[in-house]
Amino acid sequence: EVQLVESGGGLVKPGGSLRLSCAASGFTFSSYSMNWVRQAPGKGLEWVSSISSSSSYIYYADSVKGRFTISRDNAKNSLYLQMNSLRAEDTAVYYCARDISSGSYFDYWGQGTLVTVSS
Amino acid sequence: DIQMTQSPSTLSASVGDRVTITCRASQSISSWLAWYQQKPGKAPKLLIYKASSLESGVPSRFSGSGSGTEFTLTISSLQPDDFATYYCQQYNSYSLTFGGGTKVEIK
């Protein structure tokens, strides 16, 4: 059974940093591109970042470019999102999601982790 | 970036109704469109990919159609479990983008 479990969310002050993790199991992690998608409270879904299976290709939404860094460790079956210079508008539930091929749709999602940016 | 516009934003319907949700892309995305269902406090669930392909395990009352810039998600006979918010997503090009969502409420 495919499982994606996010962790690392919490309350952080504006300008602060946070690192999210996503632990994957039930599939060959190193064969799939992975993504972060976020959802602000009461709002819609926003794609944040994608990383290809071997980390060769990385993409970011303009809203996070230069502040967030996506990475993965295939040996640990883990996906990460380093978030720096956090702003109030980054407050959201962050989901990790598997995509069926690079730049595609998302067939499995984690349960999400809440990041709150507030003083 | 490709903008995705869903309509309506809210839809009130009864069990057994046929429901149609529309998604329009700001430029052609061929058939590179997915639909998701999301219930409160839960992660989205994939329903349809490549505009009209039904994801494994999804009931056949869900169907998708369209290509280019106009797409529809149809629920042929609304069931109690279908009251949720639905999102379209284009994957023709980065940045991957979602529609604003359509909330299907009980009439």
Side-chain angles (χ1 to χ4, degrees), chain A residues 39 59 95 103-106 110, chain B residues 36 38 42-43 49 87 89 94:
Chain A
Q39 187 170 37
Y59 303 91
Y95 296 100
S104 182
Y105 56 90
F106 311 119
Chain B
Y36 302 88
Q38 187 180 34
K42 300 293 187 182
Y49 60 94
Y87 294 93
Q89 177 232 331
Y94 284 106

Side-chain angles (χ1 to χ4, degrees), chain A residues 35 37 39 43-47 50 59-62 95 99 102-107 109-111, chain B residues 1 34 36 38 41-46 49-50 55 87 89 91-92 94-100:
Chain A
N35 303 263
V37 177
Q39 187 170 37
K43 303 296 184 183
L45 301 168
E46 180 188 16
W47 168 79
S50 296
Y59 303 91
Y60 297 100
D62 286 345
Y95 296 100
D99 78 57
S102 189
S104 182
Y105 56 90
F106 311 119
D107 61 347
W109 299 64
Q111 85 289 350
Chain B
D1 294 359
Y36 302 88
Q38 187 180 34
K42 300 293 187 182
K45 173 188 173 184
L46 176 67
Y49 60 94
K50 208 175 177 185
E55 173 70 350
Y87 294 93
Q89 177 232 331
Y91 52 100
N92 180 76
Y94 284 106
S95 299
L96 307 176
T97 45
F98 292 88

Side-chain angles (χ1 to χ4, degrees), chain A residues 30-51:
Chain A
S30 59
S31 296
Y32 289 85
S33 294
M34 297 295 296
N35 303 263
W36 290 99
V37 177
R38 69 184 180 183
Q39 187 170 37
K43 303 296 184 183
L45 301 168
E46 180 188 16
W47 168 79
V48 172
S49 183
S50 296
I51 186 168

